Amino acid sequence: MPDTPPSVPDFTQWPSFPFEGDLRVKQLDEPVPFEPPRRGEADRECTACNAPDEAYIWVGERWRVRAMDRPTGLPMVLILESRSHLDLGDLPNLLAAELGVMTVRLERAIRSLDGVARVHVNRWGDGSAHLHLWFLARPYGRLQLRGTFLSLWDSILPPISEDRWRENLAMVAAWLAEFGGRPLAEPPRIQWQAPSSFAPASAVDAAEELEGEPASVIEAADEIPESEAAADVSDPSAGPSADDPAPESGPEAAEEQETEDAAPTDKTAGETEDVDEDDQPRAARTREG
């Protein structure tokens, strides 16, 4: 007698569920006797350990924060990683305590951005053995995005503009740097050079801009078990594309360069994980009562 297919669960009728129409439950595979090693286990290379600091938006002595390689549908998606190759259950007491401080600190930094209502914090870890926590910003007023399926909506929503994305990254990095460490994300620079033509962009230019699909949370290689990882899935371990546009020529560019040369040096790494009783940046303490 054939097995009766399981019924579709009630959550498919929730307003937050991103799909509608006829749905059916996928057949469940038989359990395997041994699970394959994750990235960073056995003889598999660890992407996080091999990534340079330049692939991150902020770095400290024991923690680093990275972003996706390009904008996605949510205002902000960030990943908190330990420098040491440890998983959650392997953390010594010092790092375990600091993880709590860093989680609250990064949540506050993301929630301070314009248009962010809540910050979802997730940890899966089926794709990589190196500890990494996901921080997903839910847009303000988007009540349909509340709850469990926010990571799915990140793949469905159109990506935010790159300028807004880079500005958000720079603001979060600067917030974290108020407590130490080194910010590596910079806001987008103003393009002073006037366009040679005011004609609309050609179809070829538009196609080039849309050529690569955003690497969202669901598509991230760190969270895809080996048996399900597709060859064309983008690996977000390389962090955000922080390359700035080529410097412009002319007096404005010279003045801009002189301003950058005169900027004060960032704080040294290592101060980040100090616990502060009032754990907020000086410039933003009025925002958190």
Side-chain angles (χ1 to χ4, degrees):
M1 185 178 202
D3 295 335
T4 303
S7 59
V8 176
D10 292 339
F11 65 71
T12 59
Q13 304 302 317
W14 294 357
S16 60
F17 189 68
F19 307 104
E20 60 185 1
D22 295 333
L23 299 171
R24 62 186 181 89
V25 178
K26 186 184 254 186
Q27 183 67 37
L28 187 64
D29 295 336
E30 292 295 326
V32 298
F34 302 101
E35 293 197 1
R38 301 172 293 172
R39 294 172 187 84
E41 284 182 330
D43 58 348
R44 297 203 59 194
E45 193 173 36
C46 178
T47 320
C49 290
N50 294 333
D53 281 355
E54 289 71 25
Y56 293 75
I57 71 164
W58 174 90
V59 295
E61 183 180 2
R62 294 178 288 275
W63 302 93
R64 300 193 291 183
V65 176
R66 64 183 171 97
M68 311 303 285
D69 61 350
R70 52 190 176 271
T72 58
L74 299 180
M76 182 57 57
V77 175
L78 292 176
I79 304 170
L80 173 65
E81 291 179 354
S82 60
R83 276 196 181 271
S84 303
H85 185 75
L86 298 168
D87 208 345
L88 182 62
D90 303 324
L91 294 179
N93 290 340
L94 172 63
L95 290 181
E98 287 183 352
L99 176 61
V101 174
M102 289 299 303
T103 299
V104 173
R105 190 173 291 171
L106 185 53
E107 191 273 347
R108 286 175 176 169
I110 299 173
R111 189 160 40 89
S112 72
L113 300 174
D114 290 339
V116 172
R118 297 285 185 273
V119 180
H120 294 202
V121 182
N122 298 277
R123 183 258 179 179
W124 292 286
D126 282 332
S128 174
H130 196 117
L131 174 62
H132 56 289
L133 272 64
W134 290 83
F135 292 72
L136 287 69
R138 178 177 69 78
Y140 188 88
R142 295 286 188 179
L143 301 184
Q144 194 174 355
L145 274 59
R146 293 181 298 179
T148 312
F149 307 110
L150 185 62
S151 59
L152 297 178
W153 282 107
D154 184 48
S155 300
I156 298 169
L157 297 172
I160 66 174
S161 70
E162 182 159 352
D163 282 352
R164 180 189 174 195
W165 177 66
R166 289 185 178 276
E167 184 177 358
N168 287 346
L169 291 178
M171 291 181 65
V172 171
W175 177 296
L176 295 175
E178 285 284 326
F179 306 100
R182 186 159 51 103
L184 297 175
E186 296 182 357
R189 297 184 180 181
I190 299 176
Q191 300 296 325
W192 295 104
Q193 184 175 356
S196 58
S197 172
F198 290 97
S202 65
V204 175
D205 295 337
E208 289 178 354
E209 292 180 1
L210 300 176
E211 183 176 358
E213 288 295 327
S216 64
V217 179
I218 295 299
E219 299 164 330
D222 282 352
E223 303 305 338
I224 300 178
E226 183 65 18
S227 60
E228 301 177 10
D232 59 348
V233 171
S234 300
D235 186 354
S237 301
S241 300
D243 295 339
D244 291 323
E248 304 292 346
S249 59
E252 293 86 357
E255 292 175 4
E256 184 178 357
Q257 185 62 41
E258 291 175 2
T259 303
E260 291 178 357
D261 294 340
T265 306
D266 293 329
K267 297 180 181 179
T268 57
E271 301 172 347
T272 306
E273 292 75 32
D274 295 335
V275 178
D276 190 272
E277 293 181 359
D278 186 12
D279 194 10
Q280 298 181 30
R282 293 184 293 274
R285 284 173 183 159
T286 57
R287 302 187 59 141
E288 299 281 340

